[in-house]
Amino acid sequence: MSSSYGKIFKISTFGESHGVAVGVIIDGCPAGIDFDTDFIQSELDRRKPGQSRITTQRREADEFQVLSGIFEGKTQGTPIAMVVHNADQRSKDYAHIAQQFRPSHADYTYQAKYGTRDYRGGGRSSARETIARVAAGAVAKMILKKIGVNIQAYVSQVGTLKLTTPYQEMNLALAEENAVRCPDPTMAQTMFNYIDETRKKGDSIGGIISCVITGTPIGLGEPVFDKLHAELGKAMLSINAVKGFEYGSGFEGVEMLGSEHNDEFYIEESGRVRTKTNLSGGIQGGIANGEDIYFRVAFKPVATIMIDQDSVDSEGNAVTVSGKGRHDPCVVPRAVPIVEAMAALVLVDMYFRNHAYGK
Amino acid sequence: MSSSYGKIFKISTFGESHGVAVGVIIDGCPAGIDFDTDFIQSELDRRKPGQSRITTQRREADEFQVLSGIFEGKTQGTPIAMVVHNADQRSKDYAHIAQQFRPSHADYTYQAKYGTRDYRGGGRSSARETIARVAAGAVAKMILKKIGVNIQAYVSQVGTLKLTTPYQEMNLALAEENAVRCPDPTMAQTMFNYIDETRKKGDSIGGIISCVITGTPIGLGEPVFDKLHAELGKAMLSINAVKGFEYGSGFEGVEMLGSEHNDEFYIEESGRVRTKTNLSGGIQGGIANGEDIYFRVAFKPVATIMIDQDSVDSEGNAVTVSGKGRHDPCVVPRAVPIVEAMAALVLVDMYFRNHAYGK
Amino acid sequence: MSSSYGKIFKISTFGESHGVAVGVIIDGCPAGIDFDTDFIQSELDRRKPGQSRITTQRREADEFQVLSGIFEGKTQGTPIAMVVHNADQRSKDYAHIAQQFRPSHADYTYQAKYGTRDYRGGGRSSARETIARVAAGAVAKMILKKIGVNIQAYVSQVGTLKLTTPYQEMNLALAEENAVRCPDPTMAQTMFNYIDETRKKGDSIGGIISCVITGTPIGLGEPVFDKLHAELGKAMLSINAVKGFEYGSGFEGVEMLGSEHNDEFYIEESGRVRTKTNLSGGIQGGIANGEDIYFRVAFKPVATIMIDQDSVDSEGNAVTVSGKGRHDPCVVPRAVPIVEAMAALVLVDMYFRNHAYGK
Amino acid sequence: MSSSYGKIFKISTFGESHGVAVGVIIDGCPAGIDFDTDFIQSELDRRKPGQSRITTQRREADEFQVLSGIFEGKTQGTPIAMVVHNADQRSKDYAHIAQQFRPSHADYTYQAKYGTRDYRGGGRSSARETIARVAAGAVAKMILKKIGVNIQAYVSQVGTLKLTTPYQEMNLALAEENAVRCPDPTMAQTMFNYIDETRKKGDSIGGIISCVITGTPIGLGEPVFDKLHAELGKAMLSINAVKGFEYGSGFEGVEMLGSEHNDEFYIEESGRVRTKTNLSGGIQGGIANGEDIYFRVAFKPVATIMIDQDSVDSEGNAVTVSGKGRHDPCVVPRAVPIVEAMAALVLVDMYFRNHAYGK
């Protein structure tokens, strides 16, 4: 019961890495939305493997098909089912590790929890599961666009290579113009080279994705347990390989005094209430105050490496896990659309939750 | 609908800072648990104000009363209602700020969202709401204790004062022996002095709470959206003033290579599968692997300070917010039991979710 | 986790018959509603014991107290907690049956399920639990009133005494003018006498409550699993002693031909789409079509009787259960406000669910 | 958000009558269940059209495909996705009614609620949606079979033709040997002839399905809002064309005295607690007591008839709806597996809810 997310705009995902298909049902999408299939496909293309030599070479077109919920180009208020059939399954790549527990993968915990597992490519624990998130997130983005919400994520760190320029001083759209998805072209090239070197060594490296959300309606978000940033945090932490989440001042904020950290209010000429600074990250008491929402997501290095590692198998024997098959040396370039998709799913659900009372 | 948490062990909280009472209903607690009222009160005492001169001087005994669900000293499987009546309400302290939006508080966002707000002490957005979490968390701890799960949080940073000793090398129980709740007595004293100086200046300072969970059953936690660390992250981020969450290697992990970060498996003499290192933080694929779970929670400086600040009021006038009343110069000492309570609520719910299938 | 109802306007109830208190939290009530405490109390008074000699003589004022969520006479969008303290607990009345399983009560099933039970007056299985429903339902009614929805229930059958007049031909408001809550004064008197005779014999008798809802917005209700009548059915069947639910043509409709049963559409002068007949009971495909919603709820005779019965105890001994204490000879007069409350809770939740998408 | 059912064994369904496919995701099925595809197909075959001349002649093989969740013949604890592609779509059959509101269908209410609708065969409101229920219900039955629960439904009334024999005195398995699914062969033939005559007149007729569940574990079911019979009632009322639900003594029970209706307890030689009678219908206080659960479900006559009817169209014009296409003259024969499937979904979810606490 954990492959579902959302209270009103509710998604339920399915599919294993080397099964027949992966997909998603959206239950709770309003009627009358123009359904832009090209946009959905373009979002899936941002996530798909094989985009450059620093991403896995698994060959998948990742073309999606709609099974229900759309009629004459519009949503019907009924469940929208979308599937992507798996093409390049090559499950023989995995036969040699059927009984092995790959270090820092979910092999051991799935086996322990379920007493069985689909060992082909990680089965359900594969990052291929995120296709469903991106497809559903694209539908969420369509709705958010209509109310002026824009979500833009980008790579801000790879290993020790940090992009320190504040987001306000960059053209974030440039992130989509390079394989790393870093909006600073020079840094992007440096990161690319570093990831490529890491790949050649058969190793992997971590990174950070930053995300900026503009145009969030004031009042969106819920108090107490479902605070807007708490839901964003959960959503991000639910993405494979994520180890941390911070928003606004984040971990650095702990070193500040209240007198430095507080965002004083003022009135704009338009009469709108604004804050002079935005260390709050656009959210106060769990509720959006209309300022930019921004947060950072830490990704560990991908567990799949092409280097021999010690491990054990399901019989309790010591084994050597040999790296074979295909892998992403650094997950963050392909994770940018996933971060955006999860942010969109959180926001659209909060939007409808807020709207239930007429806001 | 956002004052509820949990799927099986489900809590629903209520209460404003200066209303009649704050409290909680637990719907989904199993029958037959010995209900230890002294333990619950002791947990509330760890959270209550006035414990030392570095915490707010609001006078509250915070004695709780059970309204239902307990018979002859045992839980009945029926809803357990617990309330704490507010004693020292002094709402006159707040009259002068009734129309003002205090910087980095939730005044403005509540007003914008609801069109009204209980301005007395922050109303529902007050940290007094966490009484309900601590009471429910104490019940969760009773259950977890029976299955060998132990949760221990402590203060590991105040401002720039960092405790860098690994948790394995400290006696965490010492945290309860000083007002800061830092397990290193020397560092605790340094932190205490620093917080006290900050208090005298009428300012506030942030901090970090670290938490270690031992004895988690292997297989606990759910894949995909409700990963164990995603739920822990949401739970922590739902606590007032929290800006960040990381577990295992966290943000530092992004700088590591996969070959450094992966936790190789081995077999203990007992036959149990273990990992040589634990950068995973005890969770792989969202599911506990039996190693220690550890995480860190970043708290910003408390928004209430005794220093004048610029702001606006609900009429759109520029105003000066003057610090009056009582405040916590640093929230982390009192937040330790809250972090533990939220961790307990996550774990106990995951325990019953897992158990539904016979595990 | 089964003492909660609703997805957006969500209630969570607690309390045993002879515990400290019974009560409810409403999580999800919008802000800005004028909170009419007199109305809530008047609804509780319609439910309370001792209203006439045909209801139980347990003495309870059933005065409720608000613990949270109301400020300056208005709802705040925060959880509303309401409690009624138990006064006339007389648990000694129950000491003699502590180990006995009373026939057709929940004693045996609670004991079997939980391994323990609060035997005083049925504990959580007591109809006293419905106080929480009536209090929450009164808040729901306040909201529904503002959108023109009216809910009126009445007693239409007691034993074999049937009121066969169609609801359209009666003044349903008359139901509140007699102790039976039957809108036909003559029939009401006949029913009263019959119930009173049954009471004198120490026996009990069943009955039917009919309910009519007018003014439901067209489009309210959800398709597939949460059809409006399915939620109404669940809500009614969740009331103690209910054995059946039917709406519109109900069980009689099975004997009709489609050509007789179908409700043909026509256009009113106002331009509104109407149906010539209303065998559908105001709901088509699970969604309100704007016609009156009407349904009937079957209540079995109350299990508590003043006549000796064979049974067993928790040790497996054959015992005689002797009727002592107080009882309602017929539950339907006091259940009228409960039926209305549950209907209100269903409708208000469906209203907000619909409203989430802007309707 | 209303195409989902269940708290632990959770299903989410999708699909329109004349869309690409209908299907279901099960999120929360435990791992390690032998997945019997033949059994699932056989259940779908019991539901499919064209089984005899008294069912609709739409041609559909209704072959299902598994997209995820099964590996090496066993469930994996991951979401199980099953789809049935629509074959005989003939949407031209519906072009003539695109703008018309068919009497007692959901055309008008869907249009009013969503502002759009897929008019081809009723779109989402089509009974074709129940394919998903039957497929998921078949998986539920596999699990229930292992714990000894058996569910058997049958037709007990068609129009005024009533089968009055108590279920205990019939061989219910005989129901599957005739097209009507009535366990009394003589009555079955009478019913068949009557339905066939009704069909020839282009009309339709209602009916009742009875259902008996044996072997339910004592203690299964939840108190208060989610009482076992309340969930069964909701589940049945969510099936298209259902107008009423009663269990145990049902509506007839209202005419009984408590002294007649109460089920006295006794101890079997085995030591098991039993009841002498079973007017409770196997459920007391919402919780199974181990006796047979039995209930009855009322179906109205199918709204599609081959007879002209007055109606209006979406422009507000008076129109004549002419019967064309294909229809079921009586829905109950094909609804028997649907009733069983919904009962299975309720029971399996309640089973896991109960099991969460170790029962």
Side-chain angles (χ1 to χ4, degrees):
Chain A
M1 57 173 160
S2 65
S3 286
S4 305
Y5 181 79
K7 294 206 182 229
I8 293 185
F9 188 94
K10 201 168 181 172
I11 68 169
S12 195
T13 71
F14 63 89
E16 282 86 23
S17 173
H18 289 67
V20 177
V22 294
V24 62
I25 296 176
I26 304 172
D27 188 11
C29 183
I33 308 284
D34 289 317
F35 193 76
D36 187 342
T37 53
D38 290 344
F39 176 66
I40 298 171
Q41 190 62 56
S42 71
E43 290 289 279
L44 289 170
D45 290 347
R46 291 173 72 204
R47 197 217 72 96
K48 79 176 176 187
Q51 296 178 53
S52 77
R53 74 171 183 263
I54 61 165
T55 59
T56 176
Q57 299 305 307
R58 178 171 171 162
R59 291 168 188 278
E60 290 285 356
D62 283 354
E63 283 173 13
F64 85 107
Q65 183 190 14
V66 174
L67 298 186
S68 70
I70 309 301
F71 182 57
E72 297 177 345
K74 285 184 190 295
T75 61
Q76 297 294 303
T78 56
I80 301 168
M82 297 183 283
V83 292
V84 169
H85 281 73
N86 293 320
D88 181 9
Q89 303 181 0
R90 277 209 234 172
S91 54
K92 60 183 177 300
D93 283 2
Y94 296 93
H96 66 293
I97 54 156
Q99 304 308 318
Q100 298 185 348
F101 298 140
R102 292 169 299 163
S104 290
H105 275 274
D107 298 343
Y108 171 61
T109 52
Y110 268 64
Q111 184 72 40
K113 183 180 183 72
Y114 296 114
T116 177
R117 71 193 160 94
D118 181 344
Y119 51 76
R120 299 168 304 167
R124 182 69 179 147
S125 74
S126 163
R128 203 156 167 72
E129 164 265 317
T130 56
I131 286 174
R133 303 179 185 225
V134 171
V139 178
K141 280 186 175 182
M142 288 176 203
I143 296 168
L144 293 171
K145 194 180 174 188
K146 291 176 66 176
I147 57 167
V149 176
N150 185 266
I151 300 168
Q152 174 74 56
Y154 60 93
V155 170
S156 56
Q157 186 169 341
V158 170
T160 56
L161 299 167
K162 295 182 194 182
L163 180 67
T164 55
T165 320
Y167 73 85
Q168 297 92 338
E169 299 170 18
M170 293 186 291
N171 177 1
L172 300 185
L174 294 180
E176 289 304 309
E177 303 201 351
N178 59 69
V180 177
R181 290 204 167 86
C182 173
D184 177 315
T186 310
M187 177 59 91
Q189 189 59 49
T190 310
M191 287 171 168
F192 186 93
N193 294 343
Y194 178 60
I195 297 172
D196 200 36
E197 282 163 36
T198 306
R199 177 185 69 80
K200 286 174 188 160
K201 292 175 188 158
D203 215 331
S204 64
I205 185 72
I208 291 179
I209 291 176
S210 294
C211 185
V212 181
I213 305 172
T214 59
T216 307
I218 300 169
L220 190 137
E222 301 291 323
V224 193
F225 296 111
D226 298 352
K227 290 186 167 82
L228 181 49
H229 56 271
E231 284 296 329
L232 284 169
K234 174 180 168 173
M236 297 307 142
L237 287 155
S238 77
I239 300 171
N240 278 2
V242 172
K243 303 299 286 187
F245 170 87
E246 60 179 4
Y247 82 105
S249 61
F251 276 87
E252 288 188 6
V254 307
E255 304 192 359
M256 298 174 78
L257 294 167
S259 55
E260 297 167 326
H261 192 280
N262 282 357
D263 297 317
E264 292 186 316
F265 288 107
Y266 71 100
I267 300 272
E268 266 191 349
E269 281 186 28
S270 69
R272 185 179 147 195
V273 174
R274 298 293 305 272
T275 60
K276 296 179 189 173
T277 49
N278 184 23
L279 290 156
S280 297
I283 304 173
Q284 293 178 324
I287 300 166
N289 67 0
E291 305 295 324
D292 291 352
I293 294 169
Y294 61 97
F295 59 83
R296 290 168 14 108
V297 187
F299 289 78
K300 67 165 188 171
V302 173
T304 301
I305 54 176
M306 300 297 107
I307 297 168
D308 286 359
Q309 297 173 88
D310 289 345
S311 191
V312 301
D313 66 16
S314 53
E315 307 292 309
N317 303 309
V319 296
T320 298
V321 171
S322 303
K324 285 189 191 170
R326 302 156 295 193
H327 87 304
D328 279 284
C330 182
V331 77
V332 288
R334 286 178 60 205
V336 164
I338 302 168
V339 164
E340 290 180 8
M342 290 310 299
L345 289 166
V346 169
L347 284 169
V348 84
D349 193 46
M350 284 290 176
Y351 174 66
F352 291 123
R353 288 175 69 174
N354 207 32
H355 207 273
Y357 304 119
K359 306 273 166 69
Chain B
M1 54 170 161
S2 64
S3 286
S4 306
Y5 182 78
K7 296 208 180 226
I8 293 184
F9 189 94
K10 200 168 181 171
I11 68 169
S12 195
T13 71
F14 64 90
E16 282 84 24
S17 173
H18 289 66
V20 177
V22 294
V24 62
I25 297 175
I26 305 173
D27 187 12
C29 183
I33 308 285
D34 289 317
F35 193 75
D36 186 343
T37 54
D38 291 342
F39 175 67
I40 297 172
Q41 190 62 56
S42 70
E43 289 290 280
L44 289 169
D45 290 348
R46 292 174 71 203
R47 195 218 73 96
K48 80 175 174 186
Q51 297 179 53
S52 77
R53 73 171 184 263
I54 61 164
T55 60
T56 177
Q57 298 305 307
R58 176 169 173 162
R59 289 169 190 277
E60 292 284 358
D62 284 354
E63 283 174 11
F64 85 107
Q65 183 190 13
V66 175
L67 298 185
S68 70
I70 309 300
F71 183 58
E72 298 177 343
K74 286 185 188 292
T75 61
Q76 297 294 303
T78 58
I80 301 168
M82 297 182 282
V83 291
V84 169
H85 282 74
N86 293 322
D88 180 9
Q89 302 181 3
R90 278 209 232 173
S91 56
K92 60 184 177 299
D93 282 1
Y94 296 95
H96 66 293
I97 54 156
Q99 304 308 318
Q100 297 185 348
F101 298 139
R102 292 169 298 163
S104 291
H105 275 274
D107 298 344
Y108 170 61
T109 51
Y110 267 64
Q111 185 71 41
K113 183 180 183 74
Y114 296 115
T116 177
R117 72 195 161 92
D118 182 344
Y119 51 77
R120 301 168 303 167
R124 182 71 180 145
S125 73
S126 164
R128 205 159 164 72
E129 162 265 317
T130 56
I131 285 173
R133 303 179 186 226
V134 172
V139 179
K141 280 185 176 182
M142 289 176 203
I143 296 167
L144 292 171
K145 194 180 174 188
K146 292 174 65 174
I147 57 167
V149 177
N150 185 266
I151 301 170
Q152 175 76 56
Y154 61 93
V155 171
S156 56
Q157 185 168 341
V158 170
T160 55
L161 298 168
K162 297 182 193 181
L163 179 67
T164 53
T165 321
Y167 73 87
Q168 297 91 336
E169 299 171 16
M170 294 186 290
N171 177 1
L172 300 185
L174 294 180
E176 290 303 307
E177 304 200 352
N178 59 70
V180 178
R181 291 203 167 87
C182 173
D184 178 316
T186 310
M187 176 58 91
Q189 189 58 48
T190 309
M191 287 172 168
F192 185 93
N193 295 343
Y194 178 60
I195 296 171
D196 201 34
E197 281 164 36
T198 305
R199 179 184 68 78
K200 286 173 187 162
K201 292 175 186 156
D203 216 332
S204 64
I205 186 69
I208 291 179
I209 292 177
S210 295
C211 186
V212 181
I213 305 171
T214 58
T216 307
I218 300 169
L220 191 136
E222 300 291 323
V224 191
F225 296 111
D226 297 352
K227 290 185 168 82
L228 181 49
H229 56 270
E231 284 297 327
L232 285 169
K234 173 181 169 176
M236 297 307 142
L237 287 155
S238 79
I239 300 170
N240 279 1
V242 172
K243 303 299 285 185
F245 170 87
E246 60 179 4
Y247 82 105
S249 61
F251 276 87
E252 288 188 7
V254 307
E255 304 191 359
M256 298 173 79
L257 295 167
S259 55
E260 297 167 325
H261 193 280
N262 283 356
D263 295 317
E264 291 186 317
F265 289 107
Y266 71 100
I267 301 273
E268 267 190 347
E269 280 186 29
S270 68
R272 184 178 148 197
V273 174
R274 298 292 306 273
T275 60
K276 296 179 189 175
T277 49
N278 184 21
L279 291 156
S280 297
I283 305 173
Q284 294 177 323
I287 300 166
N289 68 0
E291 304 295 325
D292 290 354
I293 294 171
Y294 61 97
F295 58 83
R296 289 166 17 106
V297 187
F299 289 78
K300 67 166 187 169
V302 173
T304 301
I305 55 177
M306 299 297 107
I307 298 167
D308 286 358
Q309 298 173 87
D310 291 343
S311 190
V312 301
D313 67 14
S314 54
E315 307 292 308
N317 304 309
V319 297
T320 298
V321 171
S322 303
K324 285 189 191 170
R326 301 154 298 192
H327 86 304
D328 280 284
C330 183
V331 77
V332 288
R334 286 178 61 206
V336 164
I338 303 168
V339 163
E340 289 180 9
M342 290 308 301
L345 289 167
V346 168
L347 283 170
V348 83
D349 193 47
M350 284 291 176
Y351 174 66
F352 291 123
R353 288 174 70 173
N354 207 31
H355 207 272
Y357 305 119
K359 306 269 167 73
Chain C
M1 54 171 161
S2 64
S3 286
S4 305
Y5 181 79
K7 295 206 180 228
I8 293 184
F9 189 95
K10 200 166 180 172
I11 68 169
S12 194
T13 71
F14 64 89
E16 282 85 25
S17 173
H18 289 66
V20 177
V22 294
V24 62
I25 296 176
I26 305 174
D27 187 11
C29 184
I33 308 284
D34 289 317
F35 193 75
D36 187 343
T37 53
D38 291 343
F39 175 67
I40 298 172
Q41 190 60 57
S42 71
E43 289 289 281
L44 289 170
D45 290 347
R46 293 174 70 203
R47 195 217 75 94
K48 79 175 176 186
Q51 297 178 53
S52 78
R53 74 171 182 265
I54 60 165
T55 59
T56 176
Q57 298 304 306
R58 177 170 172 161
R59 290 170 188 276
E60 291 284 358
D62 284 354
E63 283 173 13
F64 85 108
Q65 183 190 14
V66 174
L67 298 186
S68 70
I70 309 300
F71 182 58
E72 298 178 343
K74 286 186 189 293
T75 61
Q76 297 294 303
T78 57
I80 300 168
M82 298 184 283
V83 291
V84 169
H85 281 74
N86 294 321
D88 181 10
Q89 302 180 3
R90 278 208 231 173
S91 55
K92 60 184 177 299
D93 283 3
Y94 296 95
H96 66 294
I97 53 156
Q99 304 308 318
Q100 297 185 348
F101 298 139
R102 292 169 299 164
S104 290
H105 274 274
D107 299 343
Y108 171 62
T109 51
Y110 267 63
Q111 185 71 42
K113 184 180 183 71
Y114 297 114
T116 177
R117 71 194 163 92
D118 181 345
Y119 51 77
R120 300 167 302 167
R124 182 70 181 146
S125 73
S126 163
R128 202 157 168 71
E129 164 264 317
T130 56
I131 286 174
R133 302 179 185 227
V134 171
V139 179
K141 279 186 175 181
M142 289 176 202
I143 296 168
L144 293 171
K145 194 181 174 188
K146 291 175 67 175
I147 57 167
V149 177
N150 186 267
I151 301 169
Q152 176 74 58
Y154 60 94
V155 170
S156 57
Q157 186 168 341
V158 170
T160 56
L161 298 167
K162 298 182 194 182
L163 180 67
T164 54
T165 320
Y167 74 86
Q168 298 91 337
E169 298 171 17
M170 295 186 290
N171 177 1
L172 300 186
L174 295 179
E176 290 303 309
E177 304 199 353
N178 60 69
V180 178
R181 291 204 166 85
C182 173
D184 179 315
T186 311
M187 177 57 90
Q189 190 58 50
T190 310
M191 287 173 169
F192 185 93
N193 295 343
Y194 178 60
I195 296 171
D196 202 34
E197 281 164 35
T198 305
R199 178 185 68 81
K200 286 173 187 161
K201 291 175 187 157
D203 216 331
S204 65
I205 186 69
I208 290 178
I209 293 177
S210 295
C211 185
V212 181
I213 305 170
T214 59
T216 306
I218 300 168
L220 191 136
E222 302 290 324
V224 191
F225 296 111
D226 297 352
K227 289 185 169 83
L228 181 49
H229 56 270
E231 284 295 330
L232 285 169
K234 174 181 168 174
M236 298 307 143
L237 288 154
S238 78
I239 301 170
N240 279 1
V242 172
K243 303 299 286 187
F245 170 86
E246 60 179 4
Y247 81 106
S249 61
F251 276 88
E252 287 189 7
V254 308
E255 304 191 0
M256 298 174 77
L257 295 167
S259 56
E260 297 167 326
H261 193 280
N262 282 357
D263 296 318
E264 292 185 316
F265 288 107
Y266 72 99
I267 302 272
E268 267 192 348
E269 281 187 27
S270 69
R272 184 178 147 197
V273 174
R274 298 291 307 274
T275 60
K276 296 181 188 173
T277 48
N278 184 21
L279 291 156
S280 297
I283 304 173
Q284 293 178 323
I287 300 166
N289 67 0
E291 304 295 324
D292 292 352
I293 294 170
Y294 61 97
F295 59 83
R296 290 166 17 106
V297 187
F299 289 79
K300 67 167 188 169
V302 173
T304 301
I305 55 178
M306 299 297 106
I307 297 168
D308 286 357
Q309 299 172 86
D310 290 344
S311 192
V312 300
D313 66 16
S314 53
E315 308 292 308
N317 304 308
V319 297
T320 298
V321 171
S322 303
K324 286 190 189 169
R326 303 154 297 193
H327 86 306
D328 280 285
C330 182
V331 78
V332 288
R334 286 178 62 206
V336 164
I338 303 168
V339 164
E340 290 179 8
M342 290 309 301
L345 290 167
V346 169
L347 284 169
V348 84
D349 193 47
M350 284 290 177
Y351 173 66
F352 291 123
R353 288 174 69 173
N354 207 31
H355 207 273
Y357 305 119
K359 306 272 167 71
Chain D
M1 55 171 162
S2 64
S3 286
S4 304
Y5 182 78
K7 296 206 182 228
I8 292 184
F9 189 94
K10 201 167 181 173
I11 67 169
S12 194
T13 71
F14 64 90
E16 282 84 24
S17 173
H18 289 67
V20 176
V22 293
V24 62
I25 296 176
I26 305 172
D27 187 12
C29 183
I33 309 285
D34 289 317
F35 193 75
D36 186 343
T37 54
D38 291 343
F39 175 66
I40 297 172
Q41 189 60 56
S42 71
E43 289 290 280
L44 288 171
D45 291 347
R46 291 174 71 202
R47 196 216 74 96
K48 79 175 177 186
Q51 296 178 53
S52 77
R53 74 171 184 265
I54 62 166
T55 60
T56 176
Q57 298 305 304
R58 176 170 173 162
R59 290 169 189 279
E60 291 285 356
D62 284 353
E63 283 173 14
F64 85 108
Q65 183 190 12
V66 175
L67 298 185
S68 71
I70 309 300
F71 182 57
E72 298 178 343
K74 285 185 189 294
T75 61
Q76 297 294 303
T78 58
I80 301 169
M82 296 183 283
V83 292
V84 168
H85 282 73
N86 293 321
D88 182 9
Q89 303 181 1
R90 277 208 232 172
S91 56
K92 61 184 177 299
D93 282 2
Y94 295 94
H96 67 294
I97 54 156
Q99 303 308 317
Q100 297 185 349
F101 297 139
R102 292 168 299 163
S104 289
H105 275 273
D107 299 343
Y108 170 62
T109 51
Y110 266 65
Q111 184 72 42
K113 184 180 184 72
Y114 297 113
T116 177
R117 71 193 161 94
D118 181 344
Y119 51 76
R120 299 167 304 167
R124 182 70 180 146
S125 73
S126 163
R128 202 155 167 73
E129 163 264 317
T130 56
I131 285 174
R133 303 179 185 226
V134 171
V139 179
K141 280 186 174 182
M142 288 176 205
I143 296 167
L144 293 170
K145 194 181 174 188
K146 290 174 66 174
I147 57 167
V149 177
N150 186 267
I151 301 169
Q152 175 75 56
Y154 60 94
V155 171
S156 57
Q157 186 169 341
V158 169
T160 56
L161 299 166
K162 297 181 195 182
L163 180 67
T164 54
T165 319
Y167 74 84
Q168 298 91 337
E169 299 170 18
M170 294 186 290
N171 176 2
L172 301 185
L174 294 179
E176 290 303 310
E177 303 200 352
N178 60 68
V180 178
R181 291 205 166 85
C182 173
D184 178 314
T186 310
M187 177 58 90
Q189 188 59 48
T190 310
M191 288 173 169
F192 185 94
N193 294 343
Y194 177 60
I195 296 171
D196 201 35
E197 281 164 35
T198 306
R199 178 184 68 80
K200 286 174 187 160
K201 291 175 188 158
D203 216 333
S204 65
I205 186 71
I208 291 178
I209 292 177
S210 295
C211 185
V212 181
I213 305 171
T214 58
T216 306
I218 300 168
L220 192 136
E222 302 290 324
V224 193
F225 296 111
D226 298 350
K227 289 185 168 84
L228 180 50
H229 55 270
E231 284 296 329
L232 285 169
K234 173 181 169 174
M236 297 307 142
L237 287 154
S238 77
I239 301 170
N240 279 2
V242 172
K243 304 299 287 187
F245 169 87
E246 61 179 3
Y247 81 106
S249 61
F251 276 87
E252 287 189 8
V254 307
E255 304 191 0
M256 298 174 79
L257 295 167
S259 57
E260 297 167 325
H261 192 280
N262 282 356
D263 296 318
E264 293 185 314
F265 288 106
Y266 71 100
I267 301 271
E268 267 192 347
E269 281 187 28
S270 68
R272 184 178 148 195
V273 174
R274 299 290 308 271
T275 62
K276 296 181 189 174
T277 49
N278 184 22
L279 291 156
S280 297
I283 304 173
Q284 293 178 324
I287 300 165
N289 67 0
E291 303 295 325
D292 291 352
I293 294 170
Y294 60 97
F295 58 83
R296 291 172 10 112
V297 187
F299 289 78
K300 67 167 188 169
V302 173
T304 301
I305 55 176
M306 302 295 107
I307 297 168
D308 286 358
Q309 297 172 87
D310 291 343
S311 191
V312 300
D313 65 16
S314 53
E315 308 291 309
N317 304 308
V319 297
T320 298
V321 171
S322 303
K324 285 190 190 169
R326 302 154 296 192
H327 86 306
D328 279 284
C330 182
V331 77
V332 287
R334 285 179 61 207
V336 164
I338 303 169
V339 163
E340 290 179 8
M342 290 310 300
L345 289 167
V346 169
L347 284 169
V348 84
D349 192 46
M350 285 290 177
Y351 173 66
F352 290 122
R353 288 175 69 174
N354 207 33
H355 208 273
Y357 305 120
K359 307 275 166 68

